[in-house]
Amino acid sequence: MSNPRTELDPVIPRFCAQTGASLPLAWEFAWADQPDEAVVRPTPPPCPVPSKQGKRRMFLEGLVPLFAPRRRYPETEVNDILREVHPDVAALRRYLVEERLLMRADGHYWRP
């Protein structure tokens, strides 16, 4: 029986599974038994971004559903979303724009 206090972080496995990247263990403690007990949230290892263009494109396409269509996101919000997948958010933003999966103007990003 699984421990009801823990759950697999839904973000990391979903994108790793969609892209074929290795699945890191990303455990998150949902709550503490005592109000004063600290919640432990270990930092999961990042999904590796594929170096080959075709596999990287698949990886990036798995990130697109994180962004709502026709909604403009400030760069800071894009960073927060992408940080759940990989710590190098600047590279992910650049790759998404280069592949035209996200558009950028005046510091805002959106899905085409």
Side-chain angles (χ1 to χ4, degrees):
M1 184 170 216
S2 66
N3 183 344
R5 292 190 55 202
T6 60
E7 62 183 50
L8 190 59
D9 185 334
V11 175
I12 302 297
R14 183 174 66 234
F15 295 113
C16 289
Q18 289 175 350
T19 63
S22 63
L23 180 66
L25 283 180
W27 291 97
E28 186 176 302
F29 289 91
W31 61 86
D33 286 334
Q34 302 296 324
D36 59 345
E37 183 180 341
V39 175
V40 178
R41 186 176 185 171
T43 304
C47 281
V49 178
S51 57
K52 292 191 177 190
Q53 198 274 335
K55 289 184 178 182
R56 183 169 56 226
R57 171 78 187 200
M58 277 182 38
F59 178 85
L60 296 171
E61 286 173 352
L63 302 179
V64 173
L66 287 174
F67 302 95
R70 297 180 299 276
R71 178 174 173 222
R72 288 185 174 256
Y73 293 86
E75 188 171 300
T76 55
E77 192 172 349
V78 172
N79 289 346
D80 292 341
I81 292 168
L82 294 176
R83 195 170 288 114
E84 294 292 323
V85 178
H86 198 276
D88 191 355
V89 295
L92 289 179
R93 280 195 331 264
R94 182 175 59 249
Y95 295 147
L96 286 164
V97 171
E98 285 174 357
E99 293 289 337
R100 298 188 179 273
L101 297 170
L102 285 183
M103 305 305 284
R104 179 181 188 271
D106 301 323
H108 285 84
Y109 296 78
W110 66 94
R111 279 176 59 180

